[in-house]
Structure formats: C-alpha cells, structure tokens
PDB file of all heavy atoms in Angstrom:
ATOM      1  N   SER S   1     119.533  92.165  58.017  1.00  0.00           N
ATOM      2  CA  SER S   1     120.427  91.001  58.062  1.00  0.00           C
ATOM      3  C   SER S   1     121.684  91.132  57.215  1.00  0.00           C
ATOM      4  O   SER S   1     122.507  90.223  57.207  1.00  0.00           O
ATOM      5  CB  SER S   1     119.648  89.744  57.646  1.00  0.00           C
ATOM      6  OG  SER S   1     119.180  89.871  56.318  1.00  0.00           O
ATOM      7  N   HIS S   2     121.861  92.242  56.528  1.00  0.00           N
ATOM      8  CA  HIS S   2     123.109  92.421  55.772  1.00  0.00           C
ATOM      9  C   HIS S   2     123.848  93.641  56.305  1.00  0.00           C
ATOM     10  O   HIS S   2     123.347  94.358  57.155  1.00  0.00           O
ATOM     11  CB  HIS S   2     122.849  92.521  54.267  1.00  0.00           C
ATOM     12  CG  HIS S   2     122.016  93.697  53.857  1.00  0.00           C
ATOM     13  ND1 HIS S   2     122.445  94.994  53.965  1.00  0.00           N
ATOM     14  CD2 HIS S   2     120.768  93.767  53.353  1.00  0.00           C
ATOM     15  CE1 HIS S   2     121.521  95.814  53.538  1.00  0.00           C
ATOM     16  NE2 HIS S   2     120.473  95.088  53.163  1.00  0.00           N
ATOM     17  N   HIS S   3     125.035  93.862  55.792  1.00  0.00           N
ATOM     18  CA  HIS S   3     125.872  94.963  56.264  1.00  0.00           C
ATOM     19  C   HIS S   3     126.104  95.990  55.169  1.00  0.00           C
ATOM     20  O   HIS S   3     127.231  96.351  54.872  1.00  0.00           O
ATOM     21  CB  HIS S   3     127.191  94.423  56.819  1.00  0.00           C
ATOM     22  CG  HIS S   3     126.993  93.520  57.984  1.00  0.00           C
ATOM     23  ND1 HIS S   3     126.605  93.974  59.227  1.00  0.00           N
ATOM     24  CD2 HIS S   3     127.067  92.178  58.097  1.00  0.00           C
ATOM     25  CE1 HIS S   3     126.476  92.952  60.049  1.00  0.00           C
ATOM     26  NE2 HIS S   3     126.743  91.844  59.392  1.00  0.00           N
ATOM     27  N   GLY S   4     125.005  96.448  54.566  1.00  0.00           N
ATOM     28  CA  GLY S   4     125.090  97.506  53.579  1.00  0.00           C
ATOM     29  C   GLY S   4     124.884  97.043  52.158  1.00  0.00           C
ATOM     30  O   GLY S   4     124.416  97.804  51.322  1.00  0.00           O
ATOM     31  N   ILE S   5     125.267  95.811  51.873  1.00  0.00           N
ATOM     32  CA  ILE S   5     125.096  95.252  50.533  1.00  0.00           C
ATOM     33  C   ILE S   5     124.457  93.881  50.665  1.00  0.00           C
ATOM     34  O   ILE S   5     124.921  93.054  51.436  1.00  0.00           O
ATOM     35  CB  ILE S   5     126.445  95.135  49.794  1.00  0.00           C
ATOM     36  CG1 ILE S   5     127.076  96.517  49.641  1.00  0.00           C
ATOM     37  CG2 ILE S   5     126.265  94.479  48.431  1.00  0.00           C
ATOM     38  CD1 ILE S   5     128.496  96.505  49.159  1.00  0.00           C
ATOM     39  N   ASP S   6     123.403  93.665  49.932  1.00  0.00           N
ATOM     40  CA  ASP S   6     122.739  92.369  49.898  1.00  0.00           C
ATOM     41  C   ASP S   6     123.318  91.614  48.699  1.00  0.00           C
ATOM     42  O   ASP S   6     122.859  91.764  47.574  1.00  0.00           O
ATOM     43  CB  ASP S   6     121.225  92.552  49.766  1.00  0.00           C
ATOM     44  CG  ASP S   6     120.453  91.254  49.858  1.00  0.00           C
ATOM     45  OD1 ASP S   6     121.051  90.180  49.646  1.00  0.00           O
ATOM     46  OD2 ASP S   6     119.231  91.319  50.123  1.00  0.00           O
ATOM     47  N   TRP S   7     124.372  90.855  48.962  1.00  0.00           N
ATOM     48  CA  TRP S   7     125.096  90.188  47.881  1.00  0.00           C
ATOM     49  C   TRP S   7     124.192  89.246  47.090  1.00  0.00           C
ATOM     50  O   TRP S   7     124.317  89.137  45.870  1.00  0.00           O
ATOM     51  CB  TRP S   7     126.315  89.445  48.429  1.00  0.00           C
ATOM     52  CG  TRP S   7     127.308  90.388  49.034  1.00  0.00           C
ATOM     53  CD1 TRP S   7     127.560  90.591  50.358  1.00  0.00           C
ATOM     54  CD2 TRP S   7     128.166  91.304  48.335  1.00  0.00           C
ATOM     55  NE1 TRP S   7     128.510  91.565  50.531  1.00  0.00           N
ATOM     56  CE2 TRP S   7     128.908  92.017  49.304  1.00  0.00           C
ATOM     57  CE3 TRP S   7     128.375  91.593  46.986  1.00  0.00           C
ATOM     58  CZ2 TRP S   7     129.846  92.990  48.958  1.00  0.00           C
ATOM     59  CZ3 TRP S   7     129.312  92.571  46.650  1.00  0.00           C
ATOM     60  CH2 TRP S   7     130.034  93.251  47.624  1.00  0.00           C
ATOM     61  N   GLN S   8     123.277  88.576  47.768  1.00  0.00           N
ATOM     62  CA  GLN S   8     122.351  87.666  47.092  1.00  0.00           C
ATOM     63  C   GLN S   8     121.463  88.429  46.112  1.00  0.00           C
ATOM     64  O   GLN S   8     121.296  88.030  44.963  1.00  0.00           O
ATOM     65  CB  GLN S   8     121.501  86.928  48.121  1.00  0.00           C
ATOM     66  CG  GLN S   8     120.475  85.993  47.506  1.00  0.00           C
ATOM     67  CD  GLN S   8     119.599  85.335  48.566  1.00  0.00           C
ATOM     68  OE1 GLN S   8     119.930  85.282  49.733  1.00  0.00           O
ATOM     69  NE2 GLN S   8     118.454  84.828  48.137  1.00  0.00           N
ATOM     70  N   GLU S   9     120.909  89.542  46.542  1.00  0.00           N
ATOM     71  CA  GLU S   9     120.046  90.349  45.678  1.00  0.00           C
ATOM     72  C   GLU S   9     120.845  90.952  44.519  1.00  0.00           C
ATOM     73  O   GLU S   9     120.358  91.016  43.392  1.00  0.00           O
ATOM     74  CB  GLU S   9     119.377  91.454  46.495  1.00  0.00           C
ATOM     75  CG  GLU S   9     118.310  92.207  45.760  1.00  0.00           C
ATOM     76  CD  GLU S   9     117.125  91.370  45.326  1.00  0.00           C
ATOM     77  OE1 GLU S   9     116.799  90.367  45.987  1.00  0.00           O
ATOM     78  OE2 GLU S   9     116.516  91.721  44.298  1.00  0.00           O
ATOM     79  N   LEU S  10     122.066  91.351  44.793  1.00  0.00           N
ATOM     80  CA  LEU S  10     122.927  91.890  43.742  1.00  0.00           C
ATOM     81  C   LEU S  10     123.217  90.831  42.678  1.00  0.00           C
ATOM     82  O   LEU S  10     123.130  91.099  41.479  1.00  0.00           O
ATOM     83  CB  LEU S  10     124.226  92.422  44.353  1.00  0.00           C
ATOM     84  CG  LEU S  10     125.161  93.200  43.448  1.00  0.00           C
ATOM     85  CD1 LEU S  10     124.476  94.420  42.844  1.00  0.00           C
ATOM     86  CD2 LEU S  10     126.398  93.615  44.224  1.00  0.00           C
ATOM     87  N   ARG S  11     123.522  89.600  43.131  1.00  0.00           N
ATOM     88  CA  ARG S  11     123.739  88.493  42.178  1.00  0.00           C
ATOM     89  C   ARG S  11     122.484  88.211  41.361  1.00  0.00           C
ATOM     90  O   ARG S  11     122.548  87.988  40.156  1.00  0.00           O
ATOM     91  CB  ARG S  11     124.176  87.230  42.923  1.00  0.00           C
ATOM     92  CG  ARG S  11     125.669  87.128  43.146  1.00  0.00           C
ATOM     93  CD  ARG S  11     126.068  85.750  43.648  1.00  0.00           C
ATOM     94  NE  ARG S  11     125.522  85.431  44.959  1.00  0.00           N
ATOM     95  CZ  ARG S  11     126.036  85.840  46.117  1.00  0.00           C
ATOM     96  NH1 ARG S  11     127.117  86.566  46.133  1.00  0.00           N
ATOM     97  NH2 ARG S  11     125.476  85.490  47.254  1.00  0.00           N
ATOM     98  N   ASN S  12     121.325  88.212  42.020  1.00  0.00           N
ATOM     99  CA  ASN S  12     120.060  87.984  41.314  1.00  0.00           C
ATOM    100  C   ASN S  12     119.829  89.048  40.244  1.00  0.00           C
ATOM    101  O   ASN S  12     119.400  88.736  39.132  1.00  0.00           O
ATOM    102  CB  ASN S  12     118.880  87.967  42.282  1.00  0.00           C
ATOM    103  CG  ASN S  12     118.873  86.759  43.186  1.00  0.00           C
ATOM    104  OD1 ASN S  12     119.553  85.768  42.935  1.00  0.00           O
ATOM    105  ND2 ASN S  12     118.118  86.847  44.263  1.00  0.00           N
ATOM    106  N   ALA S  13     120.099  90.308  40.577  1.00  0.00           N
ATOM    107  CA  ALA S  13     119.908  91.394  39.606  1.00  0.00           C
ATOM    108  C   ALA S  13     120.843  91.226  38.414  1.00  0.00           C
ATOM    109  O   ALA S  13     120.444  91.424  37.263  1.00  0.00           O
ATOM    110  CB  ALA S  13     120.134  92.746  40.288  1.00  0.00           C
ATOM    111  N   ILE S  14     122.089  90.821  38.673  1.00  0.00           N
ATOM    112  CA  ILE S  14     123.060  90.604  37.592  1.00  0.00           C
ATOM    113  C   ILE S  14     122.630  89.423  36.725  1.00  0.00           C
ATOM    114  O   ILE S  14     122.654  89.503  35.498  1.00  0.00           O
ATOM    115  CB  ILE S  14     124.475  90.396  38.161  1.00  0.00           C
ATOM    116  CG1 ILE S  14     124.978  91.706  38.764  1.00  0.00           C
ATOM    117  CG2 ILE S  14     125.432  89.879  37.091  1.00  0.00           C
ATOM    118  CD1 ILE S  14     126.228  91.561  39.612  1.00  0.00           C
ATOM    119  N   ASP S  15     122.217  88.327  37.373  1.00  0.00           N
ATOM    120  CA  ASP S  15     121.765  87.146  36.620  1.00  0.00           C
ATOM    121  C   ASP S  15     120.559  87.472  35.741  1.00  0.00           C
ATOM    122  O   ASP S  15     120.502  87.055  34.587  1.00  0.00           O
ATOM    123  CB  ASP S  15     121.409  85.994  37.565  1.00  0.00           C
ATOM    124  CG  ASP S  15     122.632  85.385  38.229  1.00  0.00           C
ATOM    125  OD1 ASP S  15     123.767  85.654  37.769  1.00  0.00           O
ATOM    126  OD2 ASP S  15     122.450  84.654  39.221  1.00  0.00           O
ATOM    127  N   GLU S  16     119.604  88.198  36.286  1.00  0.00           N
ATOM    128  CA  GLU S  16     118.416  88.560  35.514  1.00  0.00           C
ATOM    129  C   GLU S  16     118.770  89.479  34.362  1.00  0.00           C
ATOM    130  O   GLU S  16     118.199  89.378  33.277  1.00  0.00           O
ATOM    131  CB  GLU S  16     117.368  89.203  36.412  1.00  0.00           C
ATOM    132  CG  GLU S  16     116.663  88.204  37.296  1.00  0.00           C
ATOM    133  CD  GLU S  16     115.596  88.840  38.159  1.00  0.00           C
ATOM    134  OE1 GLU S  16     115.080  89.922  37.793  1.00  0.00           O
ATOM    135  OE2 GLU S  16     115.270  88.260  39.209  1.00  0.00           O
ATOM    136  N   ALA S  17     119.723  90.394  34.578  1.00  0.00           N
ATOM    137  CA  ALA S  17     120.137  91.294  33.504  1.00  0.00           C
ATOM    138  C   ALA S  17     120.777  90.496  32.377  1.00  0.00           C
ATOM    139  O   ALA S  17     120.552  90.783  31.202  1.00  0.00           O
ATOM    140  CB  ALA S  17     121.107  92.344  34.037  1.00  0.00           C
ATOM    141  N   ASP S  18     121.564  89.472  32.709  1.00  0.00           N
ATOM    142  CA  ASP S  18     122.177  88.630  31.686  1.00  0.00           C
ATOM    143  C   ASP S  18     121.121  87.881  30.888  1.00  0.00           C
ATOM    144  O   ASP S  18     121.211  87.778  29.675  1.00  0.00           O
ATOM    145  CB  ASP S  18     123.134  87.613  32.323  1.00  0.00           C
ATOM    146  CG  ASP S  18     124.416  88.263  32.817  1.00  0.00           C
ATOM    147  OD1 ASP S  18     124.681  89.420  32.428  1.00  0.00           O
ATOM    148  OD2 ASP S  18     125.141  87.615  33.589  1.00  0.00           O
ATOM    149  N   GLU S  19     120.120  87.364  31.590  1.00  0.00           N
ATOM    150  CA  GLU S  19     119.086  86.559  30.939  1.00  0.00           C
ATOM    151  C   GLU S  19     118.098  87.395  30.133  1.00  0.00           C
ATOM    152  O   GLU S  19     117.680  87.006  29.060  1.00  0.00           O
ATOM    153  CB  GLU S  19     118.312  85.755  31.993  1.00  0.00           C
ATOM    154  CG  GLU S  19     119.146  84.681  32.661  1.00  0.00           C
ATOM    155  CD  GLU S  19     118.427  84.044  33.841  1.00  0.00           C
ATOM    156  OE1 GLU S  19     117.212  84.260  33.989  1.00  0.00           O
ATOM    157  OE2 GLU S  19     119.091  83.353  34.622  1.00  0.00           O
ATOM    158  N   LEU S  20     117.733  88.544  30.660  1.00  0.00           N
ATOM    159  CA  LEU S  20     116.676  89.330  30.036  1.00  0.00           C
ATOM    160  C   LEU S  20     117.199  90.493  29.199  1.00  0.00           C
ATOM    161  O   LEU S  20     116.453  91.097  28.449  1.00  0.00           O
ATOM    162  CB  LEU S  20     115.721  89.877  31.106  1.00  0.00           C
ATOM    163  CG  LEU S  20     115.049  88.829  31.997  1.00  0.00           C
ATOM    164  CD1 LEU S  20     114.249  89.510  33.092  1.00  0.00           C
ATOM    165  CD2 LEU S  20     114.148  87.937  31.168  1.00  0.00           C
ATOM    166  N   GLY S  21     118.461  90.833  29.389  1.00  0.00           N
ATOM    167  CA  GLY S  21     119.020  91.952  28.653  1.00  0.00           C
ATOM    168  C   GLY S  21     118.660  93.315  29.232  1.00  0.00           C
ATOM    169  O   GLY S  21     119.026  94.333  28.685  1.00  0.00           O
ATOM    170  N   THR S  22     117.930  93.331  30.342  1.00  0.00           N
ATOM    171  CA  THR S  22     117.597  94.588  31.003  1.00  0.00           C
ATOM    172  C   THR S  22     117.978  94.483  32.468  1.00  0.00           C
ATOM    173  O   THR S  22     117.929  93.411  33.059  1.00  0.00           O
ATOM    174  CB  THR S  22     116.096  94.906  30.906  1.00  0.00           C
ATOM    175  OG1 THR S  22     115.365  93.840  31.514  1.00  0.00           O
ATOM    176  CG2 THR S  22     115.652  95.068  29.471  1.00  0.00           C
ATOM    177  N   ALA S  23     118.361  95.591  33.034  1.00  0.00           N
ATOM    178  CA  ALA S  23     118.775  95.605  34.437  1.00  0.00           C
ATOM    179  C   ALA S  23     117.620  96.060  35.319  1.00  0.00           C
ATOM    180  O   ALA S  23     116.830  96.913  34.942  1.00  0.00           O
ATOM    181  CB  ALA S  23     119.969  96.535  34.614  1.00  0.00           C
ATOM    182  N   ARG S  24     117.539  95.479  36.496  1.00  0.00           N
ATOM    183  CA  ARG S  24     116.577  95.941  37.495  1.00  0.00           C
ATOM    184  C   ARG S  24     117.369  96.330  38.729  1.00  0.00           C
ATOM    185  O   ARG S  24     118.522  95.981  38.882  1.00  0.00           O
ATOM    186  CB  ARG S  24     115.580  94.839  37.845  1.00  0.00           C
ATOM    187  CG  ARG S  24     116.199  93.682  38.611  1.00  0.00           C
ATOM    188  CD  ARG S  24     115.100  92.838  39.248  1.00  0.00           C
ATOM    189  NE  ARG S  24     115.651  91.679  39.896  1.00  0.00           N
ATOM    190  CZ  ARG S  24     116.076  91.642  41.154  1.00  0.00           C
ATOM    191  NH1 ARG S  24     116.022  92.724  41.890  1.00  0.00           N
ATOM    192  NH2 ARG S  24     116.568  90.538  41.684  1.00  0.00           N
ATOM    193  N   GLY S  25     116.741  97.051  39.614  1.00  0.00           N
ATOM    194  CA  GLY S  25     117.423  97.490  40.820  1.00  0.00           C
ATOM    195  C   GLY S  25     117.679  96.336  41.769  1.00  0.00           C
ATOM    196  O   GLY S  25     116.874  95.435  41.889  1.00  0.00           O
ATOM    197  N   GLY S  26     118.805  96.359  42.413  1.00  0.00           N
ATOM    198  CA  GLY S  26     119.123  95.397  43.444  1.00  0.00           C
ATOM    199  C   GLY S  26     119.789  96.106  44.607  1.00  0.00           C
ATOM    200  O   GLY S  26     120.478  95.500  45.403  1.00  0.00           O
ATOM    201  N   SER S  27     119.580  97.411  44.677  1.00  0.00           N
ATOM    202  CA  SER S  27     120.263  98.229  45.672  1.00  0.00           C
ATOM    203  C   SER S  27     119.595  98.152  47.035  1.00  0.00           C
ATOM    204  O   SER S  27     118.372  98.129  47.138  1.00  0.00           O
ATOM    205  CB  SER S  27     120.294  99.693  45.228  1.00  0.00           C
ATOM    206  OG  SER S  27     121.049  99.851  44.068  1.00  0.00           O
ATOM    207  N   THR S  28     120.427  98.179  48.050  1.00  0.00           N
ATOM    208  CA  THR S  28     119.948  98.212  49.432  1.00  0.00           C
ATOM    209  C   THR S  28     119.663  99.657  49.832  1.00  0.00           C
ATOM    210  O   THR S  28     119.996 100.602  49.111  1.00  0.00           O
ATOM    211  CB  THR S  28     121.010  97.640  50.378  1.00  0.00           C
ATOM    212  OG1 THR S  28     122.169  98.486  50.322  1.00  0.00           O
ATOM    213  CG2 THR S  28     121.369  96.215  50.022  1.00  0.00           C
ATOM    214  N   ILE S  29     119.089  99.814  51.007  1.00  0.00           N
ATOM    215  CA  ILE S  29     118.853 101.153  51.538  1.00  0.00           C
ATOM    216  C   ILE S  29     120.178 101.875  51.727  1.00  0.00           C
ATOM    217  O   ILE S  29     120.291 103.063  51.420  1.00  0.00           O
ATOM    218  CB  ILE S  29     118.021 101.073  52.835  1.00  0.00           C
ATOM    219  CG1 ILE S  29     116.578 100.722  52.456  1.00  0.00           C
ATOM    220  CG2 ILE S  29     118.097 102.372  53.623  1.00  0.00           C
ATOM    221  CD1 ILE S  29     115.661 100.453  53.611  1.00  0.00           C
ATOM    222  N   ALA S  30     121.208 101.175  52.187  1.00  0.00           N
ATOM    223  CA  ALA S  30     122.520 101.807  52.356  1.00  0.00           C
ATOM    224  C   ALA S  30     123.076 102.265  51.006  1.00  0.00           C
ATOM    225  O   ALA S  30     123.641 103.365  50.899  1.00  0.00           O
ATOM    226  CB  ALA S  30     123.495 100.842  53.030  1.00  0.00           C
ATOM    227  N   GLN S  31     122.927 101.456  49.970  1.00  0.00           N
ATOM    228  CA  GLN S  31     123.399 101.835  48.641  1.00  0.00           C
ATOM    229  C   GLN S  31     122.627 103.043  48.113  1.00  0.00           C
ATOM    230  O   GLN S  31     123.219 103.958  47.533  1.00  0.00           O
ATOM    231  CB  GLN S  31     123.260 100.671  47.668  1.00  0.00           C
ATOM    232  CG  GLN S  31     124.264  99.559  47.904  1.00  0.00           C
ATOM    233  CD  GLN S  31     123.983  98.388  46.995  1.00  0.00           C
ATOM    234  OE1 GLN S  31     123.292  97.459  47.385  1.00  0.00           O
ATOM    235  NE2 GLN S  31     124.496  98.440  45.782  1.00  0.00           N
ATOM    236  N   GLN S  32     121.317 103.036  48.288  1.00  0.00           N
ATOM    237  CA  GLN S  32     120.511 104.152  47.810  1.00  0.00           C
ATOM    238  C   GLN S  32     120.834 105.431  48.579  1.00  0.00           C
ATOM    239  O   GLN S  32     120.870 106.522  48.009  1.00  0.00           O
ATOM    240  CB  GLN S  32     119.027 103.811  47.914  1.00  0.00           C
ATOM    241  CG  GLN S  32     118.622 102.723  46.939  1.00  0.00           C
ATOM    242  CD  GLN S  32     117.190 102.312  47.111  1.00  0.00           C
ATOM    243  OE1 GLN S  32     116.294 103.148  47.046  1.00  0.00           O
ATOM    244  NE2 GLN S  32     116.963 101.038  47.338  1.00  0.00           N
ATOM    245  N   THR S  33     121.100 105.288  49.875  1.00  0.00           N
ATOM    246  CA  THR S  33     121.478 106.444  50.681  1.00  0.00           C
ATOM    247  C   THR S  33     122.825 106.982  50.213  1.00  0.00           C
ATOM    248  O   THR S  33     122.995 108.199  50.062  1.00  0.00           O
ATOM    249  CB  THR S  33     121.520 106.077  52.179  1.00  0.00           C
ATOM    250  OG1 THR S  33     120.230 105.589  52.561  1.00  0.00           O
ATOM    251  CG2 THR S  33     121.877 107.270  53.039  1.00  0.00           C
ATOM    252  N   ALA S  34     123.781 106.098  49.971  1.00  0.00           N
ATOM    253  CA  ALA S  34     125.092 106.518  49.464  1.00  0.00           C
ATOM    254  C   ALA S  34     124.941 107.263  48.146  1.00  0.00           C
ATOM    255  O   ALA S  34     125.531 108.330  47.942  1.00  0.00           O
ATOM    256  CB  ALA S  34     126.007 105.301  49.303  1.00  0.00           C
ATOM    257  N   LYS S  35     124.141 106.709  47.247  1.00  0.00           N
ATOM    258  CA  LYS S  35     123.910 107.355  45.946  1.00  0.00           C
ATOM    259  C   LYS S  35     123.290 108.727  46.136  1.00  0.00           C
ATOM    260  O   LYS S  35     123.759 109.714  45.570  1.00  0.00           O
ATOM    261  CB  LYS S  35     123.011 106.491  45.068  1.00  0.00           C
ATOM    262  CG  LYS S  35     122.689 107.149  43.721  1.00  0.00           C
ATOM    263  CD  LYS S  35     121.562 106.472  42.993  1.00  0.00           C
ATOM    264  CE  LYS S  35     120.275 106.768  43.701  1.00  0.00           C
ATOM    265  NZ  LYS S  35     119.068 106.441  43.000  1.00  0.00           N
ATOM    266  N   ASN S  36     122.238 108.806  46.942  1.00  0.00           N
ATOM    267  CA  ASN S  36     121.521 110.068  47.109  1.00  0.00           C
ATOM    268  C   ASN S  36     122.348 111.133  47.828  1.00  0.00           C
ATOM    269  O   ASN S  36     122.200 112.317  47.550  1.00  0.00           O
ATOM    270  CB  ASN S  36     120.207 109.839  47.864  1.00  0.00           C
ATOM    271  CG  ASN S  36     119.196 109.083  47.040  1.00  0.00           C
ATOM    272  OD1 ASN S  36     119.277 109.017  45.820  1.00  0.00           O
ATOM    273  ND2 ASN S  36     118.229 108.473  47.712  1.00  0.00           N
ATOM    274  N   LEU S  37     123.221 110.705  48.753  1.00  0.00           N
ATOM    275  CA  LEU S  37     124.028 111.667  49.501  1.00  0.00           C
ATOM    276  C   LEU S  37     125.289 112.095  48.755  1.00  0.00           C
ATOM    277  O   LEU S  37     125.669 113.265  48.806  1.00  0.00           O
ATOM    278  CB  LEU S  37     124.462 111.062  50.846  1.00  0.00           C
ATOM    279  CG  LEU S  37     123.489 111.128  51.998  1.00  0.00           C
ATOM    280  CD1 LEU S  37     124.044 110.390  53.204  1.00  0.00           C
ATOM    281  CD2 LEU S  37     123.170 112.570  52.369  1.00  0.00           C
ATOM    282  N   PHE S  38     125.961 111.141  48.107  1.00  0.00           N
ATOM    283  CA  PHE S  38     127.311 111.412  47.623  1.00  0.00           C
ATOM    284  C   PHE S  38     127.496 111.321  46.113  1.00  0.00           C
ATOM    285  O   PHE S  38     128.503 111.809  45.600  1.00  0.00           O
ATOM    286  CB  PHE S  38     128.294 110.418  48.263  1.00  0.00           C
ATOM    287  CG  PHE S  38     128.282 110.430  49.759  1.00  0.00           C
ATOM    288  CD1 PHE S  38     127.903 109.300  50.464  1.00  0.00           C
ATOM    289  CD2 PHE S  38     128.641 111.562  50.470  1.00  0.00           C
ATOM    290  CE1 PHE S  38     127.898 109.292  51.852  1.00  0.00           C
ATOM    291  CE2 PHE S  38     128.636 111.573  51.853  1.00  0.00           C
ATOM    292  CZ  PHE S  38     128.260 110.440  52.550  1.00  0.00           C
ATOM    293  N   LEU S  39     126.579 110.672  45.407  1.00  0.00           N
ATOM    294  CA  LEU S  39     126.809 110.379  43.998  1.00  0.00           C
ATOM    295  C   LEU S  39     125.754 111.028  43.117  1.00  0.00           C
ATOM    296  O   LEU S  39     125.093 111.970  43.510  1.00  0.00           O
ATOM    297  CB  LEU S  39     126.889 108.857  43.793  1.00  0.00           C
ATOM    298  CG  LEU S  39     127.973 108.170  44.640  1.00  0.00           C
ATOM    299  CD1 LEU S  39     127.852 106.658  44.548  1.00  0.00           C
ATOM    300  CD2 LEU S  39     129.354 108.626  44.249  1.00  0.00           C
ATOM    301  N   TRP S  40     125.582 110.562  41.937  1.00  0.00           N
ATOM    302  CA  TRP S  40     124.677 111.159  40.961  1.00  0.00           C
ATOM    303  C   TRP S  40     123.584 110.161  40.586  1.00  0.00           C
ATOM    304  O   TRP S  40     123.752 108.966  40.726  1.00  0.00           O
ATOM    305  CB  TRP S  40     125.466 111.595  39.723  1.00  0.00           C
ATOM    306  CG  TRP S  40     126.204 110.477  39.049  1.00  0.00           C
ATOM    307  CD1 TRP S  40     125.745 109.689  38.026  1.00  0.00           C
ATOM    308  CD2 TRP S  40     127.518 109.992  39.344  1.00  0.00           C
ATOM    309  NE1 TRP S  40     126.691 108.756  37.671  1.00  0.00           N
ATOM    310  CE2 TRP S  40     127.798 108.916  38.467  1.00  0.00           C
ATOM    311  CE3 TRP S  40     128.495 110.356  40.268  1.00  0.00           C
ATOM    312  CZ2 TRP S  40     128.994 108.207  38.481  1.00  0.00           C
ATOM    313  CZ3 TRP S  40     129.686 109.649  40.280  1.00  0.00           C
ATOM    314  CH2 TRP S  40     129.917 108.594  39.390  1.00  0.00           C
ATOM    315  N   PRO S  41     122.461 110.663  40.070  1.00  0.00           N
ATOM    316  CA  PRO S  41     121.395 109.757  39.629  1.00  0.00           C
ATOM    317  C   PRO S  41     121.788 109.070  38.325  1.00  0.00           C
ATOM    318  O   PRO S  41     122.780 109.416  37.695  1.00  0.00           O
ATOM    319  CB  PRO S  41     120.193 110.681  39.432  1.00  0.00           C
ATOM    320  CG  PRO S  41     120.778 112.029  39.230  1.00  0.00           C
ATOM    321  CD  PRO S  41     122.093 112.057  39.944  1.00  0.00           C
ATOM    322  N   GLY S  42     120.987 108.134  37.930  1.00  0.00           N
ATOM    323  CA  GLY S  42     121.252 107.399  36.699  1.00  0.00           C
ATOM    324  C   GLY S  42     122.007 106.118  36.993  1.00  0.00           C
ATOM    325  O   GLY S  42     122.435 105.876  38.122  1.00  0.00           O
TER     326      GLY S  42
END
C-alpha cells in the first residue's frame, strides 16, 4: 500500500527514538533493498 516509503512507520520510528532515546528500524523492503544494493550497512 505504499510507494517505497512507509511515512507512517518512519514517523513512528522517529517518535519512539525521541521518547526512548534509542532508534528502531522503520525501513520498508524498498529501503532495505536500496541499502543492500547501493549503500553501506550500519
């Protein structure tokens, strides 16, 4: 139902990171594929 980025999930991950001080993943399959194909881990 999204077009590469799940903006709602991304906002939730950012909000939780602000509240808890730790980040969790909010990446979509398209984002993970982009990272794995073109970018670096971490």
Side-chain angles (χ1 to χ4, degrees):
S1 62
H2 63 67
H3 298 288
I5 299 170
D6 186 340
W7 296 106
Q8 178 183 341
E9 189 62 29
L10 189 58
R11 273 191 296 279
N12 291 344
I14 291 168
D15 289 346
E16 285 182 24
D18 287 346
E19 292 171 13
L20 302 174
T22 59
R24 69 164 176 88
S27 296
T28 63
I29 287 174
Q31 288 175 266
Q32 292 176 56
T33 302
K35 177 194 71 167
N36 290 340
L37 277 176
F38 303 117
L39 303 171
W40 59 92

